[in-house]
Every structure is written in C-alpha cells, then in structure tokens.
C-alpha cells in the first residue's frame, strides 16, 4: 500500500500537478479579486479540444465589465485547462523528468482517481484500530487527503465516488461469498460474522469522515450516479470484475451512506435470510444464550442476567437495513431504533430485514414453547411417575420462557413494537397449543396444568385439620403478588378459561374443606384478580364458597350455644361441641359421591340428629344432605406396644372401617374379609372401600394400623398367617376377595396425632376426564345460547354469517363442525328452521 502511494506521489510530481495547483491557488485566486476572464462561450468550449489551441477569451478588469456581461473566474479557467491537460494520455514530450511512462498508460486524472480509490479501500485491510497509520512508514492520511482534494479541485469527485462504489462492491461481494461458505461449512459462527459486520461498519464511518467530503458537490455527484443505469470502473477489466451490473440507489444520496450501503447490500443482505444467519442453526443459539458465553447453554441458563449481546447486534443490523430501505421521510421520522410506532415501509418484492427477523423469532418462540408444552405427553415407553413429574414442570418452564421472551424484547430488541406483538402471538399460540397438530387441544391441557400449579402454590401440606384457612405467612406479600401477576399473564393468553375455572374451583373446594390453604387473604386476592379479568359470572360460584365457609362459622357458633343450652353464643366454650359442621350450598360446590346406606355409630348418629333438630328449627324449609365423603374424624386408638393412646386423623369411611376392629378381629378371630367389612360399614362402593383398606394397611410406615393377610390358595389359604420373624413375606398391593384384615397389634409411632391420608384424595384419571367432559357439555349449551341469541336479534341469517358471529361471541375455541351440530339440534328442537328455497339461510322461530 505504501509503494502504491509513493507511485501516486511520483505521478503527481512528474506532471507538476501539485506545483500547478499551488500556483493557481496562490496567484489566480488573488487575481480573481480584481480581474475576470471574459468569454461568451461555455467553460469547456473556452479550453477547446486541441491541446495547442489557446483559450478563447481575454482577461479584463472587473470594473470595466458591465453587469449583464458573461464572465468566468480565473481559477475556474485555470482548473479547466489543467483538467484538459490531465485527461490526455501521457507521452515522452509531456514528461519533463528522466521518468518514462510505461506503455498503455492511463490519463493522469484517471490514474489519480483510480489510485486514490484504491488507497482509500485498502484501509479495510487493516484491523480498523489505526486508520491510515503504519509504525514503519508513518501516517499516510495526508497523502490520501491531498489526492482527494486534488480530485475535488479538478472536478473529478464524481469519477472518484464511482470508483469507490464499484471497488467497494467488488470487495464486499467477494467477502460475502467467503463468509457464506464459512458459515455453511461451520468454519465460522454467526456471532463472529455479526462482530465482523459491526467492525466493518465502524471502519466505514471512520473512512467517510476522514476522506470523503460532505457537501453539496458530493450530494450532486451521488445524485448523478444514481441516474446511471450501470456503473463501471475505468481500470482494465480482469477476472475480478463484477458479473452483475452495479447501480446506486437514490435513497443513499449522502456521503455517509456510501460504504455502509454497500456493506449492507453485499455483505449483510445475502446472509439475512432463512438459509443464512436466520437459520435455526445460527439464530437459535444466539436467542438462547444472548451473551455468547456458550452456544449450548439453553434459554433456561442465567435467565435474569443475560446481556443478549449477539441478539442485540443482530437487531441493530436488521433495524439499520430496514431504515436504509425506507423512504427518506420514514427514515427522518425514526432516527433511533427505540420504539417505533409503525414499521418502515418496504417494497412489495422484498420484505424488510426486521420482518424477516420477526418471522424467524416467531418460529423460534413457537418451537421452544411446543417443546415445553409437550413435556409429560403420554408415551408408550414412558413411566407414569416420570410423566407426572414432567407435567409439573410445564407451567414453571412456561413462566421462565415468558420472562426470557420479555427480556429478549426489552433488552435485545429495544422494546420494538412489532416484535412485542410477536411475543404476545407466541405466548398465545403456546398457551393454546396451536404450535402442534398432534397435541393441539385449544389450550385445555395448559389450562388444567395452570390450575394445578396455582393449587400447588396455595396448598400447605402441614396445615391443620381445621376447615377454615389459616394464614401461614409462607408467601411474602411482594412474592405472592408477583406470583399472581405471572400466573394471570399466562392466563390471559389461554382461550380455555372455562377449563381453568373447572379445575381451579374443584381444587379450591378441596383446599377450603380440608383446611390446607396457605392463606385466606391470598385466596381472596387471587379471586378478585380473576373477577377483574373475566367478570363477575366467572367467579360467582367461587365467591359463594367463601360465603359458605363464613356462614358455617356463624352457624357453628350459634349451634354451640344451642347444644350446651346457653342463650349467648359468645359465652359458650367451644369444647362443648364434639362435632363441627360445614353447611354448603349445592350449586356452588363440586358434586361429591354419596353413601346413602352408610351405617354410622351411635356416637355420630346422636350428633347428627342433634344438629338436624337445631338446623330445621332455625332454617325452616331447608333440606340437609350429608356428604360423608368429605367428613373427618379424630379416632382414639390404644396399641399394645404404645404406652399412651394415639389420635388418628382419618375420614368418615376410614373411621367406620376402624370401628369394625374395635373389640375383635371378626367372629373367629382370623380377621375380616372385604364383604364382611362392606356389610358392617354400609359402604356399597367396592372400589372406594378397597382404597380405604389400602390406606389403613398398605400405607407408609407409621400409618399401617391394620394388617393385611394375603389369600393364596385353598390348600394354603394364607401365606403370611404366621407371625414368624425369620422370614418377611411380601404383601400384595391389591385387595383380593378372600384377603383378611386384622388389628395391627405391633403398630408403633412416635407421634401422638397421626394423619392417615386416603388414596381418594389424589386425583384420578377418571376425575380429570369427568371434569373435561363437564366442560365440554357446558360449551355445548353456550353454543346453543349464542346461536339463539343471534337469531333472535337478526330473525333471518345465512349460514356463513351465523358461523362468523357465533365464533366471534364465544370465549373459547370451537370448531365449525361443533357449531354445525348444535345448529342441527336447534332445528330439531324447533328453535330455528331453514328457509324453503334457500337452504343456506335460517329463520328464527318465536
């Protein structure tokens, strides 16, 4: 590069360009103050084409020229003469030194333009840290600046800019091809490419400010170049010449856009496609691990501390490309990549870079979201326990993923509104499972899992047995509010809100009745947020549950006075009542199994009759239906190996089974069978009784108050009948018809009060299916109501319009086939009918 500059300097010295320019600047500029050049011809005609022809005109004083006389400045004429001299091909007669020009030498002005352009473009070969400097030869910027100034003085700025555009296009076209091969062959990574682009743009900014003039002459030169159909170089053609035509866009008519526009079009644009850096292989690691520390870390790692350097770089380049392709008015109105109110317009043939990034970002979000929601989906080879564990991770992972997307939007994408809309679209598709055709169910599963997640947070396994919720203080106020806000943020995007309502209401009832709610205030706070989100009708039944619990407390306070004979409930001790009753409104609570033939002990019958007498006397006209499946008892039991009696916290069915072994282990002392226990207790649900016996005899250590003896065969009916300590027999988990149960005389437990949880408290597959079936039936009624409401208002309507209005009114996803079936049922029930002659229209029947 230095030799190239020295050669250029020799050319300038050989032709006396510098000396002539200095002469012109020092002499003729002063003469211009007093004299002018008088001529009626144009400036190019004054100089003439023949080298021996003198200029046509004469020098006169300014004072002797009239106002309307056409004159030229002496500096202009001198520069025109020099330009004429430099555009000729050199020969030996023009050389006044010992240097001999080589054959086929270009004109001096053309050589000056080419050499200056090459000198400027060679700056890209440096690292960009020291522009125009070299420790060996010193600073070369004055030489290049002198050449640029000479070109401007000689009116060769347009050819210089043309050479710069052509040369830079060829350079970055080759550079882009090299990076394309390197990315496809994985020799380079996308973050390295983005860093290289950023460095190139910084170099371009430095080169433009250092060498290229920013004035009206440069703007006019660029405007002239934009009108040319094809730009070519004055250098001899070789293998490096471009294969395609090079043009200059009129929207880049500023000198600061010369090199950046070429870099964007030749180096960035070819790779800003789905097969380039927007390919999942390159894009997804940058969006997952935005700080570039690891390409395999995943989006879950360091979610709150990511800097998103690479993603921010990518967005900045895409925004730059979009602004470059926008009209001048759009560019001026949005000079910063911060929160634009409208995306820049682009041509119909080519989408903007931000739109390409937006589409790729949407595909990334839906793919990552589908990976989360597919966790726990049944697989033939998967373990049921593992599937349940994966199901419990779905909602926490969705919350983390939502925070990850929001961080990407706020930090990397600088709160871009179009990408913010894409974030909301991603969350809506993921929450409604619209990303997969195999597992898409309109968001039913995610709504159910979201309700379970809330239930797990609001439950406390160590809560007391009281039916009233007790504030444990386990959730701090700020953390609790943050949790509710995060859950509601996901809830808003889910369309199956009725499924969430069904499961949340069922879990809420269980928490209230068993006293396992972490905080009464927390439940009411979340319920108020649901009410504000979905309306009063959505939470009316759940609010009724809380009213029933408060009313039950008042009823029990009054009943305490009634049972003890006192007139003032406040002066009565709560210990006078051995039974606590919760009065529930039937329409508010879920439906629970009933045991009409259950046989209660005399102690419980006495308490029941006493409460019924009080309740019928106070509330006349009301009927009480006892729900024994929800009741709990404290049973005192004495064991031979325990010094003090134990208090067993069990439900009513477990209590009745335990009372069967109050005095003996059956008539023969060999234990009771399943049928014997069923007759003694009156529990006609065989499956429920089996689960009760399993909880009492096959539960965890410290809860097995009964002993199960397996039946093997008629010859050896009971394999473990003997209590031989030498060999411990393995007991079957299922309950057989001939298996026997005995009182466990060897029971021991260090705790005084023991809670024995029944297996029925855990959710079964049938219960889940029953809840989903109930939601589906409710949806059918809602579709019927919507159709009738629309037809009653419109009287007559065609099929297509009716389908569109029904789907617009429904708040849950419904298929067209379901709506068609409900229309047919309404026709059968004579709510609507088809119009004769036009079967595509319906008529409302009053």
């Amino acid at each position: 590069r230095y030799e190239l500059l020295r050669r250029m300097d020799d050319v300038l010295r050989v032709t006396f360009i510098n000396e002539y320019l200095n002469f012109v600047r020092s002499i003729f500029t002063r003469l211009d103050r007093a004299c002018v050049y008088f001529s009626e011809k144009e400036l190019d005609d004054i100089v003439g084409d023949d080298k021996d022809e003198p200029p046509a005109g004469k020098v006169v004083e300014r004072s002797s020229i009239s106002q309307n006389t056409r004159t030229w400045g002496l500096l202009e004429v001198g520069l025109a003469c020099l330009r004429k001299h430099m555009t000729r091909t050199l020969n030996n007669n023009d050389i006044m030194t010992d240097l001999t020009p080589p054959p086929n030498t270009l004109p001096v002005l053309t050589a000056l333009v080419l050499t200056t352009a090459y000198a400027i473009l060679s700056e890209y070969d440096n690292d960009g840290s020291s522009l125009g400097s070299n420790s060996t030869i010193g600073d070369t910027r004055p030489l290049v600046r002198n050449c640029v100034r000479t070109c401007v003085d000689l009116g060769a700025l347009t050819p210089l800019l043309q050479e710069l555009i052509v040369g830079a296009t060829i350079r970055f076209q080759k550079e882009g091809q090299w990076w394309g091969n390197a990315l496809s062959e994985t020799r380079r990574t996308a973050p390295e490419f983005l860093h290289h682009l950023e460095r190139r743009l910084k170099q371009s900014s430095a080169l433009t400010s250092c060498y290229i003039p920013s004035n009206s002459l440069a703007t006019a030169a660029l405007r002239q170049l934009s009108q040319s159909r094809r730009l070519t170089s004055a250098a001899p053609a070789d293998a490096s010449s471009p294969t395609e035509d090079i043009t200059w866009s009129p929207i880049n008519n500023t000198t600061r856009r010369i090199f950046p526009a070429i870099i964007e079009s030749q180096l960035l644009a070819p790779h800003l496609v789905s097969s380039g850096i927007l390919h999942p292989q390159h894009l997804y690691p940058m969006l997952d691990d935005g700080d570039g520390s690891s390409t395999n870390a995943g989006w879950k790692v360091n979610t709150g501390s990511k800097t998103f350097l690479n993603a921010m770089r990518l967005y900045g380049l895409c925004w730059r490309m979009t602004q470059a392709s926008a009209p001048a008015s759009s560019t001026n109105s949005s000079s910063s990549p911060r929160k634009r109110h409208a995306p820049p317009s682009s041509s119909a043939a080519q989408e903007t870079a931000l739109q390409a990034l937006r589409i790729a970002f949407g595909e990334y979000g839906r793919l990552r979201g589908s990976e989360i929601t597919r966790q726990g989906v049944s697989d033939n080879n998967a373990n049921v326990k593992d599937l349940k564990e994966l199901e419990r991770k779905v909602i926490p992972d969705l919350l983390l993923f939502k925070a990850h997307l929001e961080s990407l939007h706020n930090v990397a994408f600088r709160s871009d509104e179009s990408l913010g809309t894409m974030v909301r679209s991603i969350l809506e598709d993921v929450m409604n499972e619209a990303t997969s055709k195999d597992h898409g169910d309109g968001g039913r599963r995610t709504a159910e899992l979201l309700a379970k997640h809330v239930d797990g947070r609001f439950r406390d396994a160590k809560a007391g047995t009281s039916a009233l919720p007790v504030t444990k203080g386990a959730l701090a106020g700020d953390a609790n509010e943050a949790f509710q806000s995060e859950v509601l943020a996901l809830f808003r995007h889910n369309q199956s809100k009725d499924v969430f309502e069904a499961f949340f209401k069922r879990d809420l009832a269980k928490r209230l009745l068993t006293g396992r709610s972490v905080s009464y205030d927390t439940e009411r706070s979340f319920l108020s947020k649901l009410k504000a989100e979905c309306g009063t009708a959505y939470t009316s039944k759940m609010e009724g549950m809380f009213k029933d619990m408060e009313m039950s407390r008042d009823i029990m306070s009054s009943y305490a006075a009634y049972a003890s004979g006192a007139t003032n409930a406040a002066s009565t001790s709560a210990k006078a009542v051995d039974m606590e009753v919760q009065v529930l409104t039937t329409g508010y609570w879920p439906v629970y199994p009933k045991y009409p033939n259950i046989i209660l002990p005399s102690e419980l019958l006495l308490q029941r009759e006493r409460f019924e007498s009080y309740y019928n006397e106070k509330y006349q006209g009301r009927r009480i239906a006892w729900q024994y499946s929800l009741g709990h008892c404290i049973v005192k039991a004495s064991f031979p190996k325990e010094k003090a009696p134990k208090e067993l916290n069990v439900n009513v069915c477990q209590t009745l089974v335990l009372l069967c072994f109050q005095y003996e282990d059956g008539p023969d002392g060999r234990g009771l069978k399943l049928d014997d226990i069923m007759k003694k207790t009156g529990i006609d649900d065989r499956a429920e009784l089996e689960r009760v016996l399993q909880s009492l005899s096959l539960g965890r250590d410290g809860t097995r108050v009964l002993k199960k003896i397996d039946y093997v065969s008629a010859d050896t009916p009971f394999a473990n009948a003997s209590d031989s300590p030498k060999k411990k027999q393995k007991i079957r988990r299922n309950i057989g018809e001939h298996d026997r149960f005995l009182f466990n005389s060897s029971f021991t437990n260090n705790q005084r009060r023991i809670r024995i949880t029944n297996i029925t408290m855990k959710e079964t597959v049938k219960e889940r299916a029953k809840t989903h079936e109930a939601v589906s039936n409710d949806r059918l009624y809602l579709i019927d109501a919507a159709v009738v409401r629309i037809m009653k208002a419109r009287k007559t309507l065609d099929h297509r319009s009716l389908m569109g209005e029904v789907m617009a009114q429904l708040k849950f996803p419904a298929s067209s086939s379901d709506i068609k079936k409900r229309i047919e049922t309404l026709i059968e029930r004579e709510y609507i009918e088809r119009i004769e002659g036009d079967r595509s229209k319906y008529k409302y029947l009053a």
Side-chain angles (χ1 to χ4, degrees):
R1 178 175 177 276
Y2 182 69
E3 292 299 327
L4 182 66
L5 293 174
R6 288 290 302 272
R7 182 179 177 186
M8 179 183 63
D9 190 53
D10 291 339
V11 172
L12 295 178
R13 286 189 296 104
V14 166
T15 56
F16 295 97
I17 295 176
N18 286 335
E19 288 78 358
Y20 191 87
L21 283 176
N22 291 332
F23 172 73
V24 169
R25 291 193 185 100
S26 61
I27 302 300
F28 286 98
T29 303
R30 294 184 180 182
L31 292 176
D32 270 340
R33 300 171 186 172
C35 302
V36 293
Y37 196 85
F38 170 73
S39 178
E40 295 292 341
K41 297 183 179 180
E42 296 294 335
L43 188 60
D44 292 338
D45 296 332
I46 294 175
V47 178
D49 296 332
D50 190 359
K51 63 178 181 178
D52 296 328
E53 181 182 352
K58 60 181 179 178
V59 178
V60 296
E61 294 183 359
R62 287 184 179 270
S63 58
S64 62
I65 297 299
S66 62
Q67 186 176 1
N68 296 328
T69 304
R70 187 171 187 179
T71 60
W72 298 91
L74 297 181
L75 181 60
E76 292 179 295
V77 178
L79 290 177
C81 293
L82 179 59
R83 190 184 308 115
K84 170 189 172 183
H85 169 70
M86 294 184 65
T87 52
R88 295 181 302 170
T89 304
L90 293 177
N91 52 52
N92 293 331
N93 296 328
D94 298 321
I95 304 300
M96 301 180 66
T97 65
D98 295 335
L99 295 177
T100 302
N104 300 326
T105 302
L106 294 173
V108 176
L109 185 58
T110 304
L112 174 63
V113 170
L114 288 174
T115 311
T116 305
Y118 295 158
I120 295 174
L121 294 177
S122 63
E123 294 283 359
Y124 284 106
D125 295 333
N126 298 334
D127 295 333
S129 57
S130 56
L131 178 64
S133 63
N134 190 295
S135 58
T136 303
I137 62 176
D139 195 355
T140 59
R141 283 178 293 182
L143 286 174
V144 182
R145 286 175 182 170
N146 185 32
C147 294
V148 174
R149 187 168 58 250
T150 303
C151 292
V152 173
D153 292 340
L154 295 176
L157 182 58
T158 301
L160 176 62
L161 295 180
Q162 180 173 341
E163 292 295 337
L164 288 174
I165 292 172
V166 174
T169 301
I170 297 173
R171 167 182 284 270
F172 292 117
Q173 202 173 54
K174 293 181 179 180
E175 196 169 297
Q177 293 173 356
W178 184 90
W179 273 101
N181 296 331
L183 290 173
S184 61
E185 297 172 2
T186 65
R187 289 185 285 112
R188 290 290 188 272
T189 62
E192 292 176 343
F193 175 67
L194 295 177
H195 180 70
H196 175 76
L197 273 171
E198 197 174 61
R199 185 168 60 87
R200 283 294 189 224
L201 290 172
K202 289 181 180 179
Q203 286 179 313
S204 300
S205 178
L207 285 176
T208 303
S209 60
C210 183
Y211 298 125
I212 310 301
S214 179
N215 49 31
S216 58
L217 292 176
T219 303
L222 289 175
R223 188 178 296 110
Q224 180 181 352
L225 292 176
S226 64
Q227 297 174 359
S228 301
R229 295 184 178 180
R230 185 171 183 265
L231 301 181
T232 57
S233 175
D238 55 7
S240 63
S241 300
T243 57
E244 299 179 357
D245 293 345
I246 299 176
T247 57
W248 185 249
S249 175
I251 64 175
N252 296 318
N253 285 340
T254 57
T255 54
R256 64 180 181 85
R257 287 288 302 160
I258 291 181
F259 295 125
I262 297 173
I263 292 175
E264 291 164 4
S265 62
Q266 301 299 326
L267 192 56
L268 176 58
H271 305 294
L272 202 62
V273 291
S274 58
S275 59
I277 59 175
L278 296 183
H279 190 273
Q281 178 185 0
H282 302 296
L283 177 65
Y284 291 4
M286 290 191 292
L287 298 180
D288 285 342
D289 187 19
D291 54 4
S293 59
S294 174
T295 56
N296 298 318
W299 58 269
K300 291 184 181 180
V301 180
N302 298 328
T303 305
S305 60
K306 288 185 177 180
T307 57
F308 299 107
L309 294 178
N310 294 321
M312 191 185 303
R313 232 181 237 130
L314 176 62
Y315 171 77
L317 293 171
C318 291
W319 180 87
R320 189 186 187 105
M321 282 284 295
T322 303
Q323 293 299 102
S325 61
S329 59
S330 174
T331 305
N332 295 333
S333 62
S334 179
S335 60
S336 172
R338 295 285 300 181
K339 236 176 191 179
R340 294 177 311 284
H341 296 284
S345 61
S346 61
S347 61
Q350 183 182 9
E351 63 181 2
T352 63
L354 274 182
Q355 288 174 341
L357 177 61
R358 182 175 179 270
I359 294 173
F361 175 62
E363 294 174 353
Y364 160 80
R366 293 182 181 91
L367 176 64
R368 290 290 185 261
S370 64
E371 292 173 356
I372 297 172
T373 55
R374 288 183 183 181
Q375 293 182 111
V377 176
S378 59
D379 189 0
N380 296 330
N381 299 325
N383 190 3
V384 177
K385 186 177 180 181
D386 296 337
L387 290 177
K388 291 184 177 179
E389 187 66 27
L390 290 174
E391 272 192 344
R392 281 193 285 268
K393 295 181 180 179
V394 171
I395 299 302
D397 286 351
L398 281 177
L399 291 173
L400 287 175
F401 183 62
K402 174 180 172 294
H404 172 72
L405 292 179
E406 291 176 348
S407 297
L408 264 175
H409 173 238
N410 296 328
V411 179
F413 301 150
R414 304 180 186 180
S415 301
D416 187 283
E417 289 190 1
S418 62
L419 290 165
T421 304
M422 179 55 68
V423 170
R424 293 187 289 272
S425 176
I426 291 171
L427 292 175
E428 185 173 349
D429 290 345
V430 171
M431 286 300 298
N432 297 291
E433 299 190 43
T435 58
S436 173
K437 296 182 180 179
D438 299 334
H439 306 288
D441 58 354
R444 283 174 169 261
R445 181 170 175 266
T446 52
E448 176 189 350
L449 296 178
L450 186 62
K452 288 182 179 179
H453 181 70
V454 176
D455 175 62
R457 187 67 180 262
F458 287 172
R459 267 192 299 110
D460 185 5
K462 297 181 180 180
T465 58
S466 174
L468 294 176
V470 180
T471 302
K472 293 288 182 178
L475 293 177
D478 295 341
N480 186 30
E481 288 295 324
F483 169 77
Q484 295 182 21
S485 300
E486 291 175 354
V487 170
L488 287 174
L490 289 182
F491 175 76
R492 293 186 188 100
H493 297 290
N494 190 273
Q495 297 177 356
S496 297
K497 292 180 173 59
D498 49 352
V499 177
F500 177 87
E501 177 192 3
F503 281 94
F504 180 77
K505 183 175 69 174
R506 190 190 65 183
D507 295 334
L508 174 63
K510 190 178 294 185
R511 291 196 301 272
L512 293 177
L513 294 176
T514 57
R516 301 183 67 180
S517 178
V518 72
S519 171
Y520 185 85
D521 295 334
T522 300
E523 299 276 5
R524 296 300 294 265
S525 174
F526 186 72
L527 202 61
S528 65
K529 290 182 173 62
L530 286 179
K531 183 178 180 179
E533 191 70 30
C534 302
T536 306
Y538 190 82
T539 59
S540 59
K541 293 184 178 180
M542 290 177 272
E543 289 178 340
M545 293 181 185
F546 285 96
K547 293 179 181 179
D548 286 347
M549 299 303 294
E550 294 175 358
M551 185 178 295
S552 297
R553 182 176 56 186
D554 297 338
I555 290 175
M556 289 309 299
S557 177
S558 177
Y559 175 67
Y562 172 86
S564 61
T567 57
N568 188 3
S571 63
T572 304
S573 174
K575 296 183 179 179
V577 181
D578 295 329
M579 181 176 68
E580 184 179 356
V581 180
Q582 296 167 352
V583 183
L584 312 178
T585 305
T586 305
Y588 294 156
W589 300 81
V591 179
Y592 297 101
K594 298 180 179 180
Y595 304 107
N597 301 323
I598 197 170
I599 302 174
L600 296 177
S602 58
E603 296 85 354
L604 295 181
L605 283 174
L606 179 62
Q607 295 288 347
R608 187 185 72 174
E609 291 172 358
R610 183 181 299 175
F611 182 81
E612 287 178 347
S613 175
Y614 156 78
Y615 193 81
N616 293 331
E617 181 180 342
K618 187 173 182 180
Y619 302 99
Q620 297 180 1
R622 295 187 182 182
R623 184 175 60 88
I624 296 179
W626 293 89
Q627 294 286 347
Y628 298 112
S629 61
L630 302 177
H632 286 78
C633 299
I634 302 295
V635 179
K636 288 186 178 181
S638 299
F639 298 93
K641 293 187 177 182
E642 294 289 347
K643 297 180 180 180
K646 301 292 183 180
E647 293 184 0
L648 305 179
N649 186 356
V650 291
N651 60 24
V652 173
C653 294
Q654 291 173 321
T655 301
L656 299 180
V657 172
L658 289 176
L659 291 178
C660 294
F661 302 91
Q662 185 175 6
Y663 302 108
E664 58 183 3
D665 292 332
D668 55 358
R670 298 175 57 189
L672 296 176
K673 296 182 181 180
L674 184 63
D675 292 338
D676 299 334
I677 298 175
M678 188 177 296
K679 293 177 182 178
K680 284 180 172 290
T681 58
I683 302 175
D684 50 8
D685 189 349
R686 190 182 186 91
E688 176 64 21
L689 186 57
E690 288 181 0
R691 288 191 290 268
V692 170
L693 290 172
Q694 287 175 345
S695 64
L696 296 174
S697 61
L698 302 174
R700 65 178 187 273
D701 294 338
T703 62
R704 300 174 184 176
V705 294
L706 298 182
K707 183 188 297 183
K708 178 176 177 289
I709 303 176
D710 295 336
Y711 177 84
V712 179
S713 62
D715 297 334
T716 56
F718 302 106
N720 57 345
S722 62
D723 294 332
S724 175
K726 297 182 180 180
K727 186 176 182 181
K728 186 176 181 180
Q729 300 290 339
K730 187 176 181 180
I731 303 175
R732 294 195 307 266
R733 303 297 299 179
N734 59 328
I735 305 297
E737 183 179 358
H738 300 286
D739 294 340
R740 292 179 179 269
F741 295 88
L742 301 170
F743 174 74
N744 187 7
S745 58
S746 61
F747 175 83
T748 58
N749 195 314
N750 296 330
Q751 298 178 354
R752 185 179 66 87
R753 176 169 290 187
I754 305 167
R755 183 184 182 90
I756 302 178
T757 305
N758 192 14
I759 299 178
T760 55
M761 294 189 67
K762 298 180 180 179
E763 184 186 40
T764 61
V765 178
K766 292 183 179 180
E767 288 180 350
R768 295 177 62 180
K770 189 175 180 180
T771 305
H772 282 291
E773 184 180 357
V775 172
S776 299
N777 294 333
D778 292 340
R779 287 184 173 183
L780 298 180
Y781 302 143
L782 292 175
I783 294 175
D784 292 348
V787 173
V788 173
R789 183 167 55 250
I790 294 171
M791 291 302 302
K792 187 175 181 179
R794 303 291 293 274
K795 302 304 181 183
T796 59
L797 199 64
D798 62 281
H799 177 76
R800 180 176 296 179
S801 301
L802 178 60
M803 293 287 290
E805 292 192 22
V806 170
M807 287 186 173
Q809 289 193 12
L810 295 178
K811 296 182 179 180
F812 54 86
S815 62
S816 58
S817 60
D818 292 338
I819 299 178
K820 290 178 181 178
K821 291 178 182 178
R822 302 316 301 171
I823 292 176
E824 294 296 332
T825 58
L826 291 174
I827 293 175
E828 294 175 0
R829 289 181 284 172
E830 298 183 352
Y831 282 93
I832 58 177
E833 67 176 1
R834 287 189 173 92
I835 297 178
E836 294 184 3
D838 191 354
R839 305 289 291 176
S840 64
K841 290 186 177 181
Y842 303 101
K843 177 183 178 182
Y844 176 72
L845 298 178

